[in-house]
Amino acid sequence: MFCKVQCLDVSCFQVISSSKASVNIRVSVPSFEIHDSTHNNGESNVLPNSNGGSKRIFSTHKQSQINRTPIVEKQRLSQQGYAENPEKEQAQNGSVRPRIKDKRNKAVLTGPGRRYFSVEKMPIKRSTKWAAYGGCIPSILQALDSIKDLDEAFRPWEERLSNKERSIILKEQWSWERALEIFEWFKRKGCYELNVIHYNIMLRIMGKARKWGEVESLLEEMRVKNMAPINSTYGTLIDVYSKGGKKEEAVLWLQRMNEQGMVPDEVTMGIVVQMYKKAGEFKKAEQFFKMWSSGELVKEAKTAVDNASATKTGLGAHLALSPYTYNTLIDTYGKAGQLVKASETFAQMLKDGVLPDTITFNTMIHVYGNHGQLEKVNSVVRKMEELQCPPDTRTFNILISLYAKHDDITRAVGYFMRMKEACLEPDLVSYRTLLYAFSIRHMVGEAEKVISEMDERGLQIDEFTQSALTRMYIEAGMLEKSWSWFERFHVDGNMTTECYSANIDAYGEHGHVLEAEKAFICCQEMKRLTVLEFNVMIKAYGIGRRYDKACRLFDSMENHNVYPDRCSYVSLIQMLAGADLPHIAKPYLLMMQNAGLVNDCVPYCAVISSFVKAGQLELAEELYEEMVGHDVQPDVVVYGVLLNAFAESGNVREATSYVDAMRKAGLPMNAVICNSLIKLYTKVGYLKEAEEMYDVLQSFEGGPDVYSSNCMIDLYSEHSMVKQAEKIFDDMRQRHNANEFSFSMMLCMYKRIGRCEEAMKIAKEMRKLAFLSELLSYNSVLSLFAMDGRLKEAVEIFKEMVEAAIQPDDSTFKSLGTILKKSGVSKQAVGRLDVMRKKDPQSGMQAWMSALTSVVSGEDNDDDGCS
C-alpha cells in the first residue's frame, strides 16, 4: 500500500579533513523555540487547490529552506576532564599555544584560527543539526561541548554574539546545569542584552528539568528588571508546569494571562489544549479551543484587545491553523471518543489546504483503529499515499498492532514486511508487537523467526515478551522448549524478580508444578526471591492441589528474609477454604489479623463460607463473632452466607437476627438476601413475610429470579391461592424463564384442587417442552394419570423414566399401584410386587414392568374385541 522510500546515501556528506568535494544540498532548518506574539513571515507550505492555484498553510513552527553544506564534525574534546600536556612550557614561552590532553591521553591542539580536537564519537544527528545553523554557531557549540571554561570557549566570538546566536546557544545545551552556567556567564559579562526570549528559553529548560526553584528565580529576575512576560512566556510556563505534573500551577498561569488581558496565540492555545487532553479533561480542551477560535477569550480579558491584535492572534471568522494545532485537535477528539469531530477536523484541514504530515495520518489511523473502523483506516492510508506523505516506523507499528488486535495476523505481518521494503528498520515496538501477536496464537515457527532476526540485530527481548513466549511454548505443548527458553535468560543473569514471577506463574497456571518449582529454585539461586515469587508459587501449588506444600512454602518465607503481604495471606486462605479445609485456613487468618493486614471481611467470608459448606454452623458463627470483635465490618456477602445457611436449616430466629444486624449496619437489602429469606419463609410456611420480600425483589432491576418465583408458587399452592399462583406463573412464562419446577408446582396445585383439565394441559405442555427430567416432574405426571385412570399414558411415562435412568421412589410405585388396582389387579398382588421390589430392586423392577405391560396389552385386546 505504501510506496517504497529510497534509502539515503550519506556518503555525499562532507567531513572535516576530507578530500571529497563539498556537495550543496537543501537542508530544512527548524527554528528554535521562540514564540513571540508577533510572527515573522516565512516560506509557507502549500497544497494545490481545485482552481489550479495554491492555498497558503499557516505554520507556527516555520521552517526555512537554505542551501548549505552540512559539515559532520567528528572531533571533540572529552567532557570527562583535562590534563596539561608536557609541551605547556613551550606554550608559556610563546612558541605554541598549549597542547591539552584529556584523561584518555588523546591529543588536542588548539591554535589561532583553528582547533584540532581528539577523535571522539559525536552523535551524527547532533552535529548535522549544528551544521545546519550555519555561520559560527556550529563552531561555538562544538567549543562549548569540548571546553569547560566558558571564557576559553567563547574567546574567538566573545564580542560579536547576536541575540539570535545567544538564543540558539542556550537552547542547544544538553543539560540544564550547562545552560544555567552559560546564562549566568552572559549576565556577568554585562555587555550582552538578555531579553524576554532568552528568559523564555531558560524557563523552558529549567521547567523541563523540574527545577521549580530556578523557574521562580528567573521570574523574579524578570519582575525586578520590569521585563513583562509575553504570550510565549505564558505558553512556556503553562507547558512546563502541566508536563511537570503541576496542572494547578499551569491553570494559574493561564488565569494570570487572562488577567493581563492577553489572548493566547495559536501556540499557547495548543499548549493549553494539550494540558487538558493529557489530564483527560477533553470537554475543557474542546471548550477552550471553541472560546479561543470564536474570540470569546478576547471578551473575557480585562484589557480590551483591538481588532488588529485579534487578527494577529489568529482570531476571526475563519482560522488558518498550523498542522501542529490540527494534530492536537484530532488527537484530543480521538482520545475523547468523538470520531465525528476528529473526522471533521481532518476534513477541514484538507479543505484549508494545510498539508497533513505523518503525525496527522498516524493519529487518524490510531483513532479509527481504536474504534474498530478498519475501512476508514484503509481510506486514511490511501489518502496518505495520494498526498505522498511518507510513513514512518510509528505508522507501521500502529497498523501492525491494529490488525493483530483485530485478529488479522496476515495483514499485520504484511505491514511488517512493507516497513522493511520502505527502508525503515523495525524498532523494539515493532518486534514486541508482532512477537506477542504470534505468542497468543501459538505461532511458534513465526515467533522463532522474529527472535532470530532480533538476535542478529542485537536487540534485547524485554521481560514481558520473554514471559509471553514462555506461555506460548507451554500452551503449545512444548514444555522442554519452554524450559530452554527460560534458561536462556536465566543463565544471562539479567532476569528481574518480576520476570521470574511471570515465568513461575505461567507454569503454575497450566498445572506444571515441577517446572514452576524449578523456576522458583533458579530465582532462589540468583538471590532474587521476593514476595512475588512466593505468591505465584503458592498459587501454583493451589492449582495443583498441593495444599501441604503451599503451607510449608508460606511458613518458610521468613527464613528467606521475605515477609508475606496481604496477597500471600488471601491467596493461601482462599485456596484452603475453597478446598474445604477451613480448620487449616483459620490459623492463617488469625496470623493475618495479628499482622495488621486485614482491611476488609473478604478472608473471613471465605473461611465462614467453608465452615457453612461443611455444615459446621457453630464454628461459622464463632468466626463471625471474632471478626466483629476485631472491628472488621461484615458486608452483605457475609450476612448472605450466614442467613442462607440458617434458611436451609429452617432456623428463623438466627436468620432474622442477621437481617436485623445488617439493617443496623446500614447495609441495603439485595437480591441474594431476599432470595434467602423467601427460601426460609417458604420452608416454614410464612406467607405474609415471603410476600413482603417478593415485593422488595420486584423493585430491583431485573425483578425476581426463577427460584424466588417458584417458592412463591409453592407457597400459594400450599394455601390453595390459585389466582396469585397463576399470576406469577403467567409472568414467568411471558419472561420465558418458567422452568420444569414451575410447571410441576402448577400441575400439583391443579391436581390437588381437582382441576384435572388444567393439570392435563400443563402435563402435555411439559412433555412438549421436554420438561420431564427430574423425579418430581415424573411423579407429578404419573400421579395425575393414575388419578384420572390413564393407564396407557402412565406406562409410557414410566418407561421414559426408566430409559432416562431416573430412579423411581416409593411415590412412583404408589401411583403405579393405583393404576394396577384400577385395572383389576388385586391389592395383594400389588403388595407382593412391592415386597419383591424392596427385596431385589432389579427383579422387582422387571416384575412391575411385566405387570404393567400385561395390563396395557389386556386393555388393547379388549378395545379390539369391542371394535
Side-chain angles (χ1 to χ4, degrees):
M1 192 172 288
F2 291 120
C3 59
K4 292 185 181 180
V5 178
Q6 183 64 40
C7 295
L8 178 65
D9 181 6
V10 297
S11 62
C12 61
F13 291 120
Q14 182 180 359
V15 181
I16 291 178
S17 301
S18 173
S19 59
K20 294 183 181 179
S22 63
V23 181
N24 288 333
I25 60 173
R26 292 178 66 83
V27 179
S28 175
V29 184
S31 63
F32 47 87
E33 292 180 325
I34 299 177
H35 305 308
D36 204 343
S37 58
T38 59
H39 298 284
N40 296 328
N41 293 326
E43 191 174 330
S44 302
N45 296 325
V46 293
L47 274 176
N49 61 21
S50 57
N51 299 324
S54 62
K55 296 181 179 180
R56 180 180 180 276
I57 300 175
F58 176 86
S59 175
T60 306
H61 303 286
K62 299 179 179 65
Q63 294 184 338
S64 61
Q65 300 291 336
I66 58 173
N67 284 324
R68 293 200 184 277
T69 304
I71 302 175
V72 181
E73 303 196 47
K74 287 188 175 181
Q75 300 175 320
R76 68 177 178 87
L77 281 173
S78 169
Q79 297 183 37
Q80 299 182 3
Y82 309 91
E84 289 187 355
N85 191 274
E87 294 181 310
K88 181 176 180 181
E89 290 184 6
Q90 294 179 353
Q92 289 174 342
N93 294 330
S95 55
V96 292
R97 288 185 62 83
R99 179 180 292 234
I100 306 290
K101 280 189 178 180
D102 70 1
K103 289 182 179 179
R104 299 178 189 174
N105 296 321
K106 294 184 181 178
V108 179
L109 176 65
T110 61
R114 61 177 183 172
R115 289 173 187 262
Y116 294 96
F117 298 110
S118 63
V119 179
E120 298 285 345
K121 289 185 178 178
M122 175 181 288
I124 298 299
K125 289 183 180 178
R126 189 178 177 196
S127 59
T128 303
K129 181 181 179 182
W130 289 354
Y133 283 120
C136 62
I137 287 294
S139 300
I140 296 173
L141 293 174
Q142 182 139 345
L144 288 170
D145 199 41
S146 307
I147 304 171
K148 285 188 174 182
D149 183 79
L150 293 181
D151 289 323
E152 173 68 16
F154 277 119
R155 182 168 291 119
W157 310 277
E158 184 175 344
E159 297 178 0
R160 50 189 176 89
L161 287 176
S162 66
N163 280 339
K164 181 176 180 181
E165 287 168 342
R166 289 196 297 279
S167 298
I168 296 173
I169 289 167
L170 290 172
K171 179 177 162 293
E172 285 298 323
Q173 298 311 304
W174 277 22
S175 71
W176 67 269
E177 294 95 340
R178 186 64 163 170
L180 187 59
E181 185 184 359
I182 294 170
F183 187 72
E184 293 297 330
W185 186 86
F186 286 153
K187 289 196 292 183
R188 281 200 312 272
K189 284 298 177 181
C191 57
Y192 298 119
E193 174 198 354
L194 290 174
N195 58 32
V196 69
I197 300 300
H198 301 123
Y199 275 91
N200 285 354
I201 294 170
M202 290 305 298
L203 286 170
R204 179 169 297 281
I205 292 171
M206 295 300 121
K208 285 177 73 174
R210 303 193 179 188
K211 301 299 174 183
W212 308 119
E214 297 294 344
V215 170
E216 293 299 324
S217 296
L218 289 167
L219 290 170
E220 178 60 20
E221 283 182 25
M222 291 177 69
R223 187 189 66 79
V224 171
K225 292 181 178 182
N226 290 323
M227 188 181 292
I230 60 175
N231 213 307
S232 58
T233 310
Y234 287 107
T236 298
L237 290 166
I238 294 167
D239 190 37
V240 295
Y241 275 118
S242 63
K243 289 178 179 176
K246 292 179 171 286
K247 186 194 158 207
E248 294 77 12
E249 289 286 336
V251 173
L252 185 61
W253 278 106
L254 176 62
Q255 291 172 354
R256 289 173 181 169
M257 185 179 190
N258 292 335
E259 289 169 2
Q260 293 299 317
M262 193 173 293
V263 182
D265 61 9
E266 185 184 358
V267 176
T268 307
M269 178 276 297
I271 289 169
V272 175
V273 171
Q274 282 277 12
M275 175 185 70
Y276 286 128
K277 181 188 76 173
K278 289 180 179 178
E281 298 176 346
F282 304 113
K283 286 186 178 178
K284 286 187 178 180
E286 182 181 7
Q287 182 182 14
F288 184 83
F289 173 72
K290 286 182 177 178
M291 290 176 66
W292 179 83
S293 59
S294 65
E296 288 184 36
L297 291 179
V298 178
K299 299 173 186 177
E300 289 188 359
K302 289 184 178 180
T303 305
V305 180
D306 59 22
N307 292 333
S309 176
T311 305
K312 194 177 292 184
T313 57
L315 304 176
H318 182 74
L319 293 173
L321 303 175
S322 69
Y324 173 82
T325 303
Y326 277 114
N327 292 345
T328 300
L329 292 171
I330 292 168
D331 192 39
T332 302
Y333 288 133
K335 283 183 168 62
Q338 300 184 43
L339 270 66
V340 174
K341 289 187 177 180
S343 302
E344 289 174 350
T345 305
F346 181 67
Q348 187 64 47
M349 183 180 190
L350 295 172
K351 183 179 178 182
D352 288 345
V354 179
L355 185 66
D357 56 16
T358 305
I359 296 173
T360 315
F361 285 108
N362 288 351
T363 305
M364 289 302 299
I365 292 169
H366 194 260
V367 166
Y368 286 134
N370 275 351
H371 292 82
Q373 299 192 10
L374 301 186
E375 285 300 320
K376 290 189 176 180
V377 168
N378 293 332
S379 174
V380 172
V381 172
R382 287 193 295 270
K383 192 70 178 178
M384 196 172 185
E385 285 184 322
E386 179 186 325
L387 296 178
Q388 297 182 354
C389 179
D392 60 9
T393 302
R394 177 167 168 74
T395 312
F396 286 105
N397 286 347
I398 293 170
L399 289 165
I400 292 167
S401 177
L402 165 64
Y403 284 107
K405 179 182 175 183
H406 287 85
D407 207 25
D408 191 346
I409 193 67
T410 304
R411 204 157 191 176
V413 173
Y415 276 115
F416 182 76
M417 300 307 295
R418 290 177 192 179
M419 186 192 312
K420 295 179 180 179
E421 292 171 3
C423 292
L424 293 171
E425 278 197 351
D427 60 11
L428 283 172
V429 175
S430 319
Y431 286 113
R432 289 169 185 172
T433 304
L434 206 56
L435 270 178
Y436 182 72
F438 287 149
S439 70
I440 62 175
R441 292 169 177 80
H442 305 160
M443 298 172 68
V444 178
E446 291 81 355
E448 289 180 339
K449 287 179 183 177
V450 175
I451 293 167
S452 297
E453 190 173 321
M454 291 181 73
D455 288 342
E456 288 174 4
R457 290 186 56 192
L459 297 176
Q460 289 188 348
I461 293 171
D462 67 296
E463 296 178 349
F464 178 78
T465 307
Q466 188 280 329
S467 59
L469 290 170
T470 299
R471 286 180 182 272
M472 175 191 73
Y473 284 124
I474 294 170
E475 291 168 1
M478 303 169 72
L479 202 57
E480 289 185 8
K481 198 117 186 195
S482 74
W483 186 252
S484 299
W485 175 254
F486 167 80
E487 279 191 317
R488 165 182 165 176
F489 294 88
H490 167 63
V491 171
D492 285 345
N494 295 321
M495 287 179 72
T496 64
T497 182
E498 289 80 7
C499 194
Y500 278 111
S501 61
N503 282 271
I504 295 167
D505 196 38
Y507 285 115
E509 281 188 351
H510 294 85
H512 300 296
V513 178
L514 180 61
E515 285 71 22
E517 285 178 329
K518 287 165 62 179
F520 182 86
I521 292 169
C522 286
C523 183
Q524 184 178 354
E525 290 171 352
M526 301 298 291
K527 298 181 179 179
R528 291 178 185 168
L529 283 180
T530 67
V531 71
L532 281 175
E533 284 70 39
F534 281 95
N535 288 350
V536 292
M537 196 65 232
I538 289 168
K539 175 185 171 185
Y541 282 135
I543 292 171
R545 299 182 181 181
R546 310 282 181 85
Y547 307 118
D548 55 337
K549 283 193 169 186
C551 292
R552 285 201 300 271
L553 182 64
F554 183 94
D555 295 339
S556 72
M557 289 177 75
E558 291 189 15
N559 297 334
H560 298 277
N561 292 321
V562 176
Y563 296 91
D565 60 6
R566 175 178 164 77
C567 181
S568 313
Y569 280 107
V570 171
S571 178
L572 185 64
I573 291 166
Q574 290 188 335
M575 173 205 308
L576 295 170
D580 300 331
L581 298 170
H583 293 283
I584 301 175
K586 185 177 177 181
Y588 289 105
L589 176 57
L590 297 180
M591 287 168 59
M592 183 181 181
Q593 181 69 58
N594 293 333
L597 295 173
V598 176
N599 53 22
D600 57 37
C601 63
V602 171
Y604 278 100
C605 184
V607 183
I608 289 171
S609 299
S610 189
F611 277 128
V612 167
K613 186 179 177 183
Q616 298 173 325
L617 297 187
E618 289 184 6
L619 292 174
E621 282 196 287
E622 284 179 13
L623 189 57
Y624 169 81
E625 295 297 335
E626 287 182 30
M627 176 182 69
V628 175
H630 286 297
D631 291 327
V632 178
Q633 296 302 315
D635 62 6
V636 177
V637 178
V638 174
Y639 285 116
V641 168
L642 290 166
L643 197 154
N644 190 61
F646 289 108
E648 287 283 355
S649 63
N651 192 328
V652 178
R653 185 179 62 82
E654 290 289 343
T656 52
S657 70
Y658 286 112
V659 174
D660 293 339
M662 189 181 75
R663 284 172 174 159
K664 285 180 182 177
L667 296 173
M669 297 287 283
N670 62 13
V672 175
I673 300 296
C674 290
N675 286 333
S676 296
L677 286 172
I678 288 174
K679 179 199 294 184
L680 171 65
Y681 296 143
T682 301
K683 282 191 179 217
V684 297
Y686 287 12
L687 177 61
K688 182 181 177 182
E689 290 81 356
E691 284 182 322
E692 289 175 357
M693 282 299 105
Y694 195 75
D695 288 340
V696 173
L697 272 177
Q698 286 180 318
S699 67
F700 293 151
E701 185 179 355
D705 63 5
V706 177
Y707 181 83
S708 300
S709 299
N710 285 342
C711 285
M712 293 306 300
I713 291 174
D714 190 23
L715 266 176
Y716 285 132
S717 175
E718 290 292 333
H719 289 77
S720 298
M721 299 173 69
V722 180
K723 288 185 179 180
Q724 290 86 341
E726 286 179 335
K727 182 178 183 305
I728 292 176
F729 183 65
D730 290 340
D731 288 343
M732 293 178 73
R733 293 173 79 174
Q734 286 178 6
R735 297 198 305 266
H736 303 288
N737 63 358
N739 62 8
E740 185 174 331
F741 187 78
S742 316
F743 280 90
S744 294
M745 291 297 98
M746 292 301 295
L747 189 151
C748 290
M749 183 185 70
Y750 285 133
K751 184 186 71 172
R752 187 168 55 252
I753 63 177
R755 292 171 60 173
C756 292
E757 186 176 347
E758 285 89 345
M760 284 295 175
K761 287 180 181 179
I762 294 290
K764 288 179 181 179
E765 193 170 355
M766 287 177 74
R767 298 188 73 180
K768 181 180 178 182
L769 295 173
F771 274 175
L772 284 173
S773 62
E774 301 290 336
L775 179 60
L776 174 64
S777 304
Y778 277 110
N779 284 346
S780 298
V781 175
L782 270 175
S783 175
L784 175 64
F785 287 159
M787 186 180 72
D788 202 41
R790 294 174 177 264
L791 175 62
K792 190 173 181 180
E793 288 93 334
V795 173
E796 287 178 1
I797 288 293
F798 180 64
K799 287 181 178 179
E800 287 179 16
M801 183 178 179
V802 173
E803 290 172 1
I806 303 295
Q807 188 65 36
D809 63 359
D810 290 343
S811 177
T812 310
F813 288 105
K814 182 180 178 181
S815 297
L816 292 173
T818 302
I819 291 170
L820 289 176
K821 291 172 190 176
K822 284 187 176 183
S823 301
V825 178
S826 68
K827 186 177 180 180
Q828 292 78 7
V830 173
R832 285 194 296 272
L833 286 171
D834 209 34
V835 171
M836 188 183 300
R837 173 183 69 85
K838 291 177 180 178
K839 284 185 178 180
D840 186 352
Q842 188 173 356
S843 299
M845 180 71 77
Q846 291 175 356
W848 272 97
M849 190 64 74
S850 297
L852 290 166
T853 304
S854 176
V855 170
V856 171
S857 298
E859 281 199 356
D860 289 342
N861 290 333
D862 291 341
D863 291 341
D864 292 340
C866 291
S867 61

